[in-house]
Amino acid sequence: MSESDEINKATPQGVTPQTTPHGVAESRGLFDRQILRVAALGAVKKLDPRIQARNPVMFVVLIGTVVTLYEAIRRPGVFTWSITAWLLLTVLFANFAEAMAEGRGKAQADTLRRMRSETEARRLGSDGAEERVPASSLAKGDLVVCEAGDVIPSDGEITEGIASVDESAITGESAPVIRESGGDRSAVTGGTKVLSDRIVVQITAEPGHTFLDRMISLVEGSSRQRTPNEIALTILLAALTLVFLPVVVALQPFGHFAGAAVSVTVLVALLVCLIPTTIGALLSAIGIAGMDRLVQKNVLAMSGRAVEAAGDVQTLLLDKTGTITLGNRMASAFIPAAGRTERELAEAAQLASLADETPEGRSIVVLAKERFNIRERDLGADHQFVPFSANTRMSGLDVDGHHIRKGAADSVKAFVADTGGTIPIGLDQVVEQLSRSGSTPLVVADGSEILGVIELKDVVKQGIKERFDQLRAVGIRTVMITGDNPLTAAAIAQEAGVDDYLAEATPERKMDLIKAEQAGGKLVAMTGDGTNDAPALAQADVGVAMNTGTMAAKEAGNMVDLDSNPTKLIDIVEVGKQLLITRGSLTTFSIANDVAKYFAIIPALFVATYPQLNALNIMRLHNAETAVLSAVIFNALVIVALIPLALRGVRFKPVGAASILRRNVLIYGLGGVVTPFIFIKLIDLILTATRFY
Amino acid sequence: MDLALTLVLLLLVLAVAWRFLGSYLAAVYDGRVSWLGWFERPVYRLLGVDPEREQSWQRYTGSLAVFSGVAILITYAIFRFQGSLPFNPQHLGAVPPALSWNTAVSFVTNTNWQNYAGESTMSYLSQMVGLTVQQFVSASVGIAVAIALVRGFARKGSPTIGNFWVDLIRGVIYVLIPVAFIAGIVFVGQGTVQTLAGPAVIHNPLTGLSQVILRGPVGFMETIKQLGTNGGGFFNANGAHPFEDPTALTLFLSIVLLLAIPVALTYTFGKMVGNIRQGVAVLAAMIVLFGAWTALTVYAESQPNPAVSAAHAVAQHQGNMEGKEARFGPQQTALYNAASTETSTGSVAGANDSFNPLGGLGLLAGMMMGEVSPGGVGSGLYTILLFALLAVFIGGLMIGRTPEYLGKKIQAPEVKLASFAVLVMPITVLVLTALAVSLHAGRAGPSNAGPHAFSEILYAFTSQGNNNGSAFAGLNGNTAFYNVTGSIAMLIGRFAIIVPVLALAGVLAAKHTVPEGLGTFKTDTPLFTGILISVIVIVGGLTFFPAVSLGPIIEQLSRHRLF
């Protein structure tokens, strides 16, 4: 144990976690061949009108296809058949996009399902006798025994014992974790494997509702519901589809009045080109892919609503330890006592720490080497390490008659006083000053002489300040939550560049802070792992529970981070934003496309009656048939072309709202107007070259 | 007057109106003005209204519906019984049922589509109590709805959006009557007729011929016609008649009056939501669109009429003089007609039918883009705010946040109501136009053939569907078919938008606001104005491009050039 074990819970983690896919995210590339094959098949299966009816835009396309098919059969011709074929392809491409997005999740779900394969549980009867039953028959409250080598049959809490557990099946992390009864580490997950010792687990999940079950349905997307913004967008798309119906249908009487014969096939083609098929086809794929991107980051979102809320978050509550700071205090300075040199102090400190394998101890050795190039040395036989004990609250080394100790100020002072030494003037002042600035002072003594103080500092993660600056740019306020006193908290808050801090935090104060922010209309995100975090996790709009945390925390939050890395909250926010940006941008693109399609189709519709309308044929398309067909083909192919963008998401740069908007308006708005002019012309040139039309 | 000088003066006067009338309007509807309280309070007592009690959006809508319904019935009854009622010096008989119905609907909906010639159809009583009264109250209803919507944005967690009766009456008493009265005195001073003495008979002893000159209570009707963006004139010739519009000054003042309130309301909006810049952003969009359509029309009318050129009949230095008043000339007439069409007033100082095709297109465009540049009193503001909601929704998604406008989250209910209200107009216009060109009764209307006939029908329904009331002319609208379909267009164009707007006001008022931050989609910037304009143009363009290409565009292209 180290001198500062209370802050030594979390292991150090980098700011940008390695997102090497593992666990659920044991992944395939975006265009894995098997996923492509399954998706192609899925595209055909999804032609079922009952599935199509869920998407009003594509449903209109399907009906249009049936109408042109009827026309093609009645009056066969290359043109009518071509239109029919391309309309059908439009529907298939949309289905394909959705199937692609679902593909990876399905593959992952299959892997998880295999894991869930029937396990046997050893249930404890009320009389203490063991009974072997299938895991699926376990009810809430049952007690089961697991020993080394057993797979834990269902989710539960350890009521007895301690064990090391391999959770790699869920988290992908191969290092075993310790689980023990009582406290915040008592939760175990069904499907994980006990590696050593024996535990008694009380089952907390009904069969079929375990964490693994939920994970399967989440990655598979079977329980996917439309999110609020998606619903609103669907309404807008349905309205746009609805308005184009009279626009196109009215052309029949208008044309008739003008003495022009308007072909039904062309009208259907015009309708399909005008309604927002691009975004209509990709909308659900974007949503599924957004969830999938979170899964790739090893985060399970319990609802799409939570992912979307993450994009809206305006306040991030971040625990100091493990999120903002590395979680371990590091030696940062040697402050010699009066009359001592820094080097003397460093040498003694290094000796006292040689056997100290805690991160703090190691950091002292490292600092001594960095400052004075003091290397590890061979101490010979005549030495004895004095390990840390709760009694003495010191550790050190006895060598050559020297009694070198390091430890908390009070303990070392008492040790020195015992051996008849005196306390140098100014020591108390230094100790107090360090404490106040958020550091931990360790006093070093050599027998009856106090050599000085080692400053152990909370080390702010590298790059975290820049991360907070980026968040600020997109309008997100960061609040650091810490149990430290206000002075310490203020010092670290300033160093890390957070906007605000909550010092001496208790679960109640955390809860009050969340409520206060929400009362001001803000959405709040936080992470937590303890049972006492549960109410706050439930109250927060985005509550990310650490997988290492308690069941209560995991139940209360709306996301679970399998890596248990609190920094990931920032990634989650970005995924949420990216999801909305992708939808908005593709909607803009889709609508902007219509301008070019009009210039292709309207002149083609009436040019026979009014040759002067050819002036509107600004793309100089070959003839009426190639013009209409080019627009339809572009309309179908653009869906395929945008599938990668829909699945990957539009790039999100953490800059202010105004610059994001300007950039996206330029690319997807203006680009959406210009692009189709170019490609429709190109397609027309190709069609003309075939000489079919 | 020189066109450039007119425009500069217009800009100056409107800037003053924007700033001062705008803040006055805010004060009126916030209840901070009471100088006519001695007149206001008895009116509430008479109506049995408690001015302190606010209404939910449902009650507000209910009151508005009852008021408008009763107004239609009363106005209809006056027309039908005018023969037996006083103030009828010409002894005009009852107005026929279909025409009475169309006209009653037309004035209650602030459209002022006129399928009749006023001076030879309507008694003085019908003109004053039937038409002019509606010109006041229908304008006040429009402003009330806009104010209710603005309150929806400005309030937080409020179950109410104001009191319809209070808004209606305060609008009439504190705004419309005082301004129309003062302007009316100027108009009468300039020579606009204002009398109840009946027609004047002038006998020329030299020729022995007698001439009957029709006149009536024109002056004050003229000012509320413009101020309330109504457009229904006393005479058939409307603003081109010298008794309505005698001088260049009255022509100029007419343009000022019809633009004043729609423009000023953007200031009121900014003031009530606590950020004038929000109003400026909306106003900027209105100005750009107004500038574009007006420039197109004025430019087109400055060009010669090719048919006249071909006949070598007259020199056309000034431009297209067909159907124009010699006193005003093509440019001023084009400016007047464009301004009146852009504000849904629909009054005219020259014949729209005789405009060059692109001039007509400029007029049509303003209406097809939802009549928001700057649109009618109240209706212009509430319609452009609907477009703003859609612009915010699409733009807001693009920055990765649930879109919000003025701190209110724009979610499914808002999108549903806004898209319904925005799209109901184009759907109505297209369906009715399609019906008219398909039926014999409809095809009998236009006096021309070919694309121009199509333009005439399309214009008629676009005008009525937008509660504009300007006529392309050349269409015989006084038939059972056009009277009935026209009234349908006017009713839908008015109430199928007002009801969702009020619902929106209620939904928004009940919401709490999201605080503004760096991640907020700023709606008081040129970028937003640009997006707003694009949304308006794209929605209008995409819905009407096919129809327009069969009318004015083909007509223009038949002249083998686009400009």
Side-chain angles (χ1 to χ4, degrees):
Chain A
M1 280 264 233
S2 90
E3 287 86 343
S4 48
D5 62 330
E6 80 281 358
I7 48 156
N8 195 17
K9 276 182 190 158
T11 47
Q13 255 141 355
V15 174
T16 14
Q18 281 289 307
T19 47
T20 23
H22 46 224
V24 278
E26 176 217 337
S27 188
R28 302 149 180 284
L30 205 50
F31 295 101
D32 181 281
R33 198 175 297 163
Q34 196 191 335
I35 292 180
L36 281 173
R37 200 167 39 231
V38 174
L41 206 69
V44 181
K45 279 190 200 152
K46 281 173 189 279
L47 278 179
D48 183 340
R50 279 166 304 182
I51 298 176
Q52 292 295 316
R54 269 185 257 152
N55 182 342
V57 182
M58 296 319 294
F59 191 56
V60 169
V61 181
L62 187 67
I63 293 176
T65 314
V66 173
V67 173
T68 54
L69 180 68
Y70 172 74
E71 286 291 311
I73 292 168
R74 221 162 51 112
R75 264 174 298 205
V78 180
F79 175 70
T80 337
W81 276 111
S82 308
I83 293 282
T84 311
W86 279 101
L87 292 187
L88 183 64
L89 278 174
T90 309
V91 180
L92 285 173
F93 289 161
N95 292 347
F96 179 71
E98 200 181 87
M100 276 288 295
E102 289 167 349
R104 197 154 48 166
K106 285 233 163 74
Q108 282 159 2
D110 288 343
T111 318
L112 289 172
R113 250 193 221 105
R114 253 174 270 133
M115 212 167 67
R116 201 182 48 179
S117 58
E118 227 20 59
T119 37
E120 245 187 353
R122 295 156 61 186
R123 188 164 64 187
L124 277 179
S126 50
D127 53 354
E130 263 183 43
E131 179 191 1
R132 292 199 172 254
V133 295
S136 56
S137 69
L138 287 173
K140 220 171 168 170
D142 282 353
L143 291 174
V144 294
V145 179
C146 298
E147 276 178 326
D150 287 350
V151 171
I152 299 173
S154 182
D155 300 351
E157 299 266 350
I158 302 178
T159 56
E160 210 184 299
I162 178 167
S164 61
V165 180
D166 174 10
E167 294 193 336
S168 61
I170 304 276
T171 63
E173 177 58 55
S174 53
V177 292
I178 302 294
R179 295 285 179 226
E180 59 187 322
S181 63
D184 283 351
R185 293 182 181 251
S186 62
V188 288
T189 314
T192 57
K193 196 171 180 184
V194 177
L195 292 180
S196 70
D197 304 288
R198 174 183 187 271
I199 46 173
V200 177
V201 175
Q202 180 166 35
I203 302 302
T204 52
E206 297 289 354
H209 293 88
T210 64
F211 188 68
L212 197 58
D213 291 316
R214 268 198 294 169
M215 245 172 97
I216 291 171
S217 85
L218 280 170
V219 295
E220 199 175 35
S222 56
S223 58
R224 202 182 91 84
Q225 282 172 326
R226 284 193 178 143
T227 57
N229 277 314
E230 198 179 349
I231 293 171
L233 186 53
T234 309
I235 292 172
L236 181 71
L237 297 181
L240 283 175
T241 307
L242 203 67
V243 77
F244 283 123
L245 272 174
V247 168
V248 171
V249 172
L251 275 178
Q252 180 81 38
F254 291 177
H256 185 73
F257 183 76
V262 184
S263 114
V264 175
T265 310
V266 175
L267 284 184
V268 171
L270 177 62
L271 178 64
V272 169
C273 285
L274 291 181
I275 62 176
T277 47
T278 314
I279 180 67
L282 297 173
L283 189 57
S284 63
I286 293 170
I288 298 165
M291 296 284 275
D292 188 52
R293 269 201 300 285
L294 271 187
V295 173
Q296 300 309 306
K297 290 186 190 288
N298 246 355
V299 175
L300 286 184
M302 298 305 158
S303 70
R305 188 182 279 261
V307 183
E308 214 173 72
D312 285 351
V313 161
Q314 279 159 301
T315 307
L316 276 188
L317 303 189
L318 298 167
D319 282 329
K320 184 197 76 176
T321 308
T323 311
I324 295 170
T325 63
L326 286 172
N328 296 299
R329 303 189 171 209
M330 301 292 206
S332 64
F334 295 116
I335 303 158
R340 299 290 176 176
T341 64
E342 213 182 326
R343 189 178 172 100
E344 252 179 294
L345 170 63
E347 280 186 359
Q350 193 250 13
L351 282 173
S353 308
L354 279 177
D356 185 350
E357 283 302 316
T358 63
E360 285 89 344
R362 263 177 278 150
S363 78
I364 293 171
V365 175
V366 169
L367 185 70
K369 186 182 168 193
E370 275 174 8
R371 302 272 290 118
F372 300 106
N373 206 19
I374 304 171
R375 298 188 169 276
E376 294 196 22
R377 44 205 146 159
D378 192 7
L379 294 166
D382 185 23
H383 72 274
Q384 196 185 354
F385 288 111
V386 180
F388 178 86
S389 84
N391 240 344
T392 60
R393 294 170 64 216
M394 292 188 298
S395 62
L397 174 76
D398 290 343
V399 62
D400 301 337
H402 288 279
H403 299 282
I404 302 171
R405 295 289 183 277
K406 71 172 202 295
D410 302 350
S411 321
V412 177
K413 269 156 73 182
F415 170 79
V416 169
D418 278 355
T419 49
T422 49
I423 313 302
I425 328 158
L427 179 79
D428 286 340
Q429 220 180 327
V430 171
V431 166
E432 201 197 309
Q433 202 188 335
L434 289 182
S435 309
R436 211 182 304 153
S437 68
S439 303
T440 305
L442 283 187
V443 177
V444 180
D446 182 354
S448 58
E449 306 274 323
I450 287 188
L451 301 177
V453 185
I454 309 169
E455 182 183 11
L456 291 183
K457 242 178 134 176
D458 232 346
V459 181
V460 170
K461 283 184 180 175
Q462 236 184 349
I464 196 92
K465 193 170 180 150
E466 289 69 35
R467 205 77 192 261
F468 291 150
D469 287 342
Q470 294 174 347
L471 287 172
R472 200 167 300 117
V474 294
I476 295 173
R477 216 165 65 92
T478 43
V479 180
M480 182 181 85
I481 308 289
T482 170
D484 293 343
N485 64 59
L487 276 170
T488 309
I492 297 172
Q494 205 198 338
E495 195 187 339
V498 293
D499 297 294
D500 205 351
Y501 61 88
L502 179 69
E504 287 164 359
T506 59
E508 293 75 36
R509 295 193 56 197
K510 208 163 161 181
M511 187 74 169
D512 290 343
L513 177 66
I514 295 175
K515 283 184 176 162
E517 291 284 319
Q518 287 174 335
K522 290 182 175 164
L523 266 63
V524 181
M526 67 168 284
T527 58
D529 54 3
T531 300
N532 56 14
D533 280 333
L537 279 171
Q539 177 73 31
D541 301 282
V542 177
V544 183
M546 301 293 104
N547 192 47
T548 51
T550 58
M551 245 338 143
K554 284 202 252 179
E555 293 283 334
N558 45 20
M559 290 190 199
V560 175
D561 179 14
L562 300 174
D563 290 341
S564 304
N565 170 12
T567 317
K568 227 184 266 168
L569 201 45
I570 300 172
D571 296 327
I572 294 172
V573 166
E574 289 188 355
V575 169
K577 286 199 174 294
Q578 212 186 13
L579 185 64
L580 295 188
I581 293 177
T582 309
R583 282 198 201 122
S585 301
L586 289 185
T587 304
T588 309
F589 186 81
S590 190
I591 297 171
N593 273 196
D594 280 2
V595 177
K597 295 172 192 166
Y598 260 142
F599 279 99
I601 296 179
I602 293 294
L605 254 181
F606 298 111
V607 79
T609 321
Y610 296 110
Q612 60 268 40
L613 264 186
N614 205 34
L616 292 183
N617 179 9
I618 52 179
M619 284 173 272
R620 299 282 138 218
L621 302 179
H622 180 63
N623 63 29
E625 288 189 346
T626 61
V628 175
L629 196 53
S630 303
V632 170
I633 293 175
F634 170 79
N635 194 51
L637 289 181
V638 77
I639 295 174
V640 180
L642 289 174
I643 289 177
L645 185 68
L647 297 189
R648 277 200 206 103
V650 168
R651 200 150 57 90
F652 171 72
K653 265 203 200 157
V655 287
S659 27
I660 298 179
L661 184 63
R662 201 170 303 122
R663 180 190 134 92
N664 289 337
V665 164
L666 209 67
I667 298 178
Y668 299 98
L670 204 62
V673 173
V674 176
T675 313
F677 277 104
I678 300 167
F679 284 97
I680 290 177
K681 176 68 188 170
L682 269 176
I683 296 168
D684 180 75
L685 287 175
I686 295 167
L687 287 179
T688 312
T690 63
R691 293 172 183 278
F692 279 127
Y693 306 95
Chain B
M1 215 176 352
D2 182 56
L3 181 69
L5 184 62
T6 312
L7 287 174
V8 171
L9 271 178
L10 191 61
L11 225 62
L12 283 176
V13 178
L14 285 175
V16 173
W18 178 75
R19 172 64 187 77
F20 294 101
L21 182 58
S23 67
Y24 177 70
L25 282 166
V28 166
Y29 290 98
D30 280 343
R32 286 183 275 118
V33 174
S34 57
W35 58 283
L36 288 169
W38 53 271
F39 183 71
E40 186 187 354
R41 280 185 293 273
V43 179
Y44 296 140
R45 270 200 294 281
L46 197 72
L47 286 167
V49 170
D50 176 4
E52 300 301 319
R53 252 185 68 185
E54 293 222 330
Q55 296 171 309
S56 65
W57 79 262
Q58 291 94 338
R59 292 199 74 89
Y60 200 101
T61 312
S63 305
L64 188 148
V66 168
F67 176 76
S68 303
V70 170
I72 291 176
L73 291 181
I74 291 177
T75 315
Y76 178 82
I78 293 173
F79 299 153
R80 297 291 295 133
F81 299 114
Q82 69 172 7
S84 342
L85 294 169
F87 297 110
N88 188 3
Q90 290 157 259
H91 307 289
L92 296 167
V95 182
L99 181 60
S100 295
W101 169 252
N102 183 284
T103 309
V105 167
S106 164
F107 278 72
V108 170
T109 57
N110 198 256
T111 312
N112 291 216
W113 175 266
Q114 294 168 293
N115 274 337
Y116 62 91
E119 63 271 39
S120 56
T121 315
M122 297 289 177
S123 73
Y124 290 179
L125 187 87
S126 294
Q127 294 269 23
M128 290 190 297
V129 183
L131 302 178
T132 311
V133 164
Q134 289 310 319
Q135 291 187 325
F136 278 100
V137 292
S138 70
S140 192
V141 167
I143 303 175
V145 173
I147 294 291
L149 180 60
V150 174
R151 285 192 191 118
F153 283 113
R155 292 181 175 185
K156 293 168 195 173
S158 163
T160 58
I161 56 169
N163 182 312
F164 170 73
W165 303 105
V166 174
D167 290 343
L168 171 74
I169 287 157
R170 290 181 73 85
V172 172
I173 292 180
Y174 286 107
V175 184
L176 298 174
I177 290 182
V179 179
F181 181 75
I182 295 168
I185 291 176
V186 177
F187 269 64
V188 174
Q190 287 289 305
T192 308
V193 174
Q194 178 76 24
T195 177
L196 291 176
V201 182
I202 294 169
H203 183 70
N204 188 336
L206 293 175
T207 58
L209 293 175
S210 289
Q211 193 179 358
V212 178
I213 303 210
L214 301 176
R215 30 180 214 177
V218 183
F220 293 95
M221 182 178 184
E222 187 65 15
T223 52
I224 188 59
K225 168 186 111 178
Q226 309 289 19
L227 181 67
T229 63
N230 290 291
F234 188 96
F235 297 102
N236 194 26
N238 208 306
H241 196 296
F243 285 180
E244 283 200 16
D245 219 351
T247 65
L249 179 65
T250 57
L251 184 91
F252 176 75
L253 281 180
S254 293
I255 300 175
V256 170
L257 283 175
L258 55 85
L259 286 166
I261 293 179
V263 166
L265 273 174
T266 60
Y267 186 92
T268 315
F269 162 64
K271 180 133 182 137
M272 288 176 84
V273 299
N275 180 1
I276 301 294
R277 287 172 56 96
Q278 300 285 355
V280 176
V282 169
L283 177 67
M286 290 175 165
I287 291 176
V288 169
L289 291 169
F290 177 84
W293 310 137
T294 307
L296 178 64
T297 303
V298 171
Y299 167 81
E301 292 321 294
S302 309
Q303 305 303 308
N305 181 326
V308 178
S309 303
H312 300 291
V314 278
Q316 301 186 79
H317 307 300
Q318 284 187 296
N320 177 15
M321 269 307 287
E322 185 197 313
K324 306 264 187 333
E325 250 281 353
R327 288 174 299 146
F328 307 136
Q331 290 185 341
Q332 302 275 340
T333 309
L335 176 65
Y336 181 108
N337 286 17
S340 119
T341 318
E342 297 300 306
T343 52
S344 101
T345 308
S347 52
V348 288
N352 288 341
D353 200 24
S354 306
F355 275 30
N356 282 325
L358 284 185
L361 178 63
L363 301 177
L364 265 175
M367 293 191 279
M368 288 172 169
M369 306 288 163
E371 199 70 273
V372 291
S373 48
V377 286
S379 65
L381 181 65
Y382 65 67
T383 312
I384 203 164
L385 289 179
L386 295 172
F387 280 109
L389 281 182
L390 295 183
V392 162
F393 182 71
I394 297 173
L397 284 180
M398 276 200 284
I399 61 160
R401 276 259 289 263
T402 295
E404 62 214 41
Y405 188 40
L406 304 166
K408 304 279 187 177
K409 280 196 174 171
I410 307 307
Q411 289 161 310
E414 289 82 11
V415 171
K416 197 185 296 176
L417 291 166
S419 11
F420 177 86
V422 161
L423 297 178
V424 73
M425 182 277 289
I427 293 178
T428 309
V429 170
L430 289 172
V431 167
L432 288 174
T433 307
L435 191 70
V437 298
S438 309
L439 297 177
H440 179 72
R443 281 200 298 268
S447 51
N448 296 73
H452 197 69
F454 183 74
S455 296
E456 286 170 356
I457 297 175
L458 180 66
Y459 194 104
F461 287 111
T462 308
S463 169
Q464 294 178 88
N466 279 289
N467 299 139
N468 187 301
S470 74
F472 212 43
L475 178 84
N476 177 18
N478 191 15
T479 64
F481 176 81
Y482 280 107
N483 275 327
V484 172
T485 50
S487 71
I488 293 171
M490 292 187 280
L491 287 171
I492 293 178
R494 180 79 165 174
F495 298 108
I497 296 173
I498 281 183
V499 174
V501 164
L502 288 175
L504 204 51
V507 173
L508 289 170
K511 282 197 168 183
H512 288 276
T513 53
V514 181
E516 197 183 307
L518 275 172
T520 309
F521 178 19
K522 293 266 185 302
T523 51
D524 55 357
T525 61
L527 182 60
F528 175 70
T529 300
I531 296 177
L532 176 57
I533 293 172
S534 315
V535 168
I536 294 170
V537 171
I538 286 189
V539 169
L542 291 183
T543 43
F544 284 110
F545 183 73
V548 168
S549 60
L550 284 176
I553 291 183
I554 283 181
E555 281 185 67
Q556 180 68 25
L557 290 174
S558 307
R559 300 177 177 184
H560 303 294
R561 61 184 193 131
L562 198 54
F563 280 102

